[in-house]
Amino acid sequence: MRRCIWVILAALLILSLRAETSAETLKGRSRLGIDLRLADHGTSSVYTTIGMGTVRTEAGSSGMGGGVSYGYWIQENLAFSVSISGLTTEVDTEIDGGTVSSQTVVVAPILVGVRYYAPNSALTTDWRPYVTASGGPYIASQSKTEVGLEIVNEERTETAIGAYLGAGLDVRVSRYFLFGTGLGYHFVGAFSEEIGGRTDYSGAEFSLSVSLLFGGHR
């Protein structure tokens, strides 16, 4: 996973260095992107006493996933954005007495927001730093299999409202392609019931993306 991220970062740097600076406007253009995301939800452990035994649930501290995004430049320094992504976190549960369960949790945010590009001096270059804010539903799905005296399969879904705040850098490598990297934080409301041993999936996220640019005028 780390090697993949470093390869993408290296490719972004090499391509951006080869890109020719252009004053071509992005106003009125759209982008369709594919995203690679790495999130840190923090480790969660839950202990419950049942009779003479103890149940321990430990959720993984990070999740890796991908998604798709769409953006439209309303102004040269302001873009509308929509993204749909999914982050997978493995969760292992050990139960004294010989029963073991394994779970997979997928958290899928559907976010609508804006990107604001600054400073104005960057609007005529291929390197465009930005800040971003978005919000929408976070859908968490849990798939659980418990093996003991009998096998039990369980699937549940919970939804909460949340928001994302972050900053990043878009690098235009040609008229038709844009690379991006971002870092931010998800503020997620508590789910009504636990998913993977927790109700809170707030946490930091690092992302890499490649986008196809289209529309607008030459």
Side-chain angles (χ1 to χ4, degrees), residues 86-104:
L87 296 168
T88 302
T89 300
E90 297 293 336
V91 181
D92 293 323
T93 303
E94 298 179 0
I95 304 177
D96 291 347
T99 302
V100 178
S101 68
S102 62
Q103 305 176 52
T104 300

Side-chain angles (χ1 to χ4, degrees), residues 111-126:
L111 303 177
V112 177
V114 294
R115 287 185 180 183
Y116 177 74
Y117 293 84
N120 289 335
S121 60
L123 299 180
T124 58
T125 75
D126 293 324

Side-chain angles (χ1 to χ4, degrees), residues 8-79:
I8 294 175
L9 284 173
L12 189 159
L13 178 60
I14 293 171
L15 289 173
S16 63
L17 290 175
R18 294 180 60 186
E20 295 182 0
T21 300
S22 172
E24 179 185 342
T25 180
L26 287 176
K27 180 181 177 181
R29 300 202 70 187
S30 299
R31 66 172 182 86
L32 184 61
I34 299 176
D35 309 320
L36 173 65
R37 300 173 182 268
L38 178 63
D40 187 349
H41 306 299
T43 302
S44 173
S45 295
V46 179
Y47 297 87
T48 305
T49 301
I50 302 178
M52 297 299 292
T54 300
V55 179
R56 179 179 64 83
T57 301
E58 183 173 341
S61 61
S62 63
M64 186 174 182
V68 294
S69 59
Y70 169 80
Y72 176 79
W73 276 267
I74 305 169
Q75 299 291 336
E76 192 68 25
N77 65 340
L78 185 65

Side-chain angles (χ1 to χ4, degrees), residues 8-9 15 18 20 33 38 64 75-76 82 116 123 126 132 137 143 149 153 157 172 188-189 194 206-207 212-214:
I8 294 175
L9 284 173
L15 289 173
R18 294 180 60 186
E20 295 182 0
L38 178 63
M64 186 174 182
Q75 299 291 336
E76 192 68 25
V82 180
Y116 177 74
L123 299 180
D126 293 324
T132 183
S143 177
L149 296 178
N153 294 313
T157 301
R172 185 171 52 180
V188 187
E194 288 186 350
F206 172 73
S207 64
L212 172 67
L213 298 172
F214 60 95

Side-chain angles (χ1 to χ4, degrees), residues 172-192:
R172 185 171 52 180
V173 296
S174 74
R175 171 173 168 77
Y176 298 104
F177 288 98
L178 184 80
F179 280 90
T181 182
L183 181 65
Y185 195 91
H186 289 276
F187 299 88
V188 187
F191 295 111
S192 59

